[in-house]
Amino acid sequence: MKKYKADITVTLKKGVRDPQGTAVDMVLKRTGLEENAEVQVGKFFTLSVSGNDESDARNKLNKICEDVLSNPVLESYQVERFLEV
Amino acid sequence: MKKYKADITVTLKKGVRDPQGTAVDMVLKRTGLEENAEVQVGKFFTLSVSGNDESDARNKLNKICEDVLSNPVLESYQVERFLEV
């Protein structure tokens, strides 16, 4: 059994309203930090997955991302890092 | 004025309790997806910053991360991508 460490980002799909992002935009504008920052807010996960080999662990990771970490109707996920530990 | 696009992750500092991560761990264990996933939950931001040059924009970005996107007492941030657009 091999063990892998993965970093995952979950972001809203294009066209889905992002009120958190809009709120941060307004703060940055009001404080004069940035006029139009076009902020998008998402989630970030670090986790370990085990598997017989890399392909087995990646399949399990994709299932975890689709079933638990994201809502596939509104969100998409991206595997940013995937390393054996 | 140059414009840059940045990806930022904000995570809890070591030793800070992560109840969201623990909740995901429990779901993964209960559903049999992963015995001990050691999930850590953070935030992910994509935003634009402008500046006279890269160093100016990076300084502004660091200020935005420290003052608005993270709580420096409990969280640390990481600039994952920084590209001119």
Side-chain angles (χ1 to χ4, degrees):
Chain A
M1 212 64 160
K2 288 176 176 174
K3 202 161 186 182
Y4 301 84
K5 197 108 186 152
D7 287 357
I8 311 291
T9 55
V10 174
T11 50
L12 290 170
K13 286 185 178 170
K14 258 197 194 329
V16 178
R17 241 169 55 83
D18 181 358
Q20 271 190 290
T22 309
V24 180
D25 268 344
M26 285 168 60
V27 169
L28 295 179
K29 190 174 181 167
R30 202 173 58 219
T31 55
L33 281 166
E34 183 67 41
E35 199 45 43
N36 186 19
E38 297 162 321
V39 180
Q40 290 171 289
V41 180
K43 284 175 281 184
F44 177 68
F45 298 95
T46 303
L47 72 162
S48 304
V49 273
S50 51
N52 297 321
D53 54 27
E54 180 171 335
S55 141
D56 182 41
R58 275 194 185 266
N59 286 341
K60 200 201 266 184
L61 179 64
N62 286 332
K63 190 166 167 50
I64 290 173
C65 289
E66 280 161 31
D67 292 0
V68 180
L69 303 185
S70 74
N71 170 354
V73 177
L74 300 174
E75 297 169 325
S76 54
Y77 69 89
Q78 179 100 26
V79 181
E80 306 283 349
R81 280 188 202 88
F82 188 85
L83 293 169
E84 192 174 344
V85 283
Chain B
M1 212 66 161
K2 289 175 175 173
K3 203 161 184 182
Y4 301 84
K5 197 108 185 152
D7 288 357
I8 311 291
T9 55
V10 174
T11 49
L12 289 170
K13 286 184 179 172
K14 259 198 193 331
V16 178
R17 243 169 54 83
D18 181 357
Q20 271 190 290
T22 308
V24 179
D25 268 344
M26 284 167 60
V27 169
L28 295 179
K29 189 173 181 167
R30 202 173 57 220
T31 56
L33 281 166
E34 183 68 41
E35 199 46 42
N36 186 18
E38 298 163 321
V39 180
Q40 291 171 287
V41 181
K43 285 175 281 183
F44 177 68
F45 297 94
T46 302
L47 72 161
S48 304
V49 273
S50 51
N52 297 320
D53 54 27
E54 180 171 335
S55 142
D56 183 40
R58 276 194 185 266
N59 286 340
K60 202 202 267 183
L61 179 64
N62 286 333
K63 191 168 166 49
I64 290 173
C65 289
E66 279 161 31
D67 291 0
V68 180
L69 302 185
S70 74
N71 170 355
V73 178
L74 299 174
E75 297 168 327
S76 54
Y77 70 90
Q78 179 100 25
V79 181
E80 305 283 350
R81 280 187 202 91
F82 189 85
L83 293 169
E84 193 173 345
V85 285

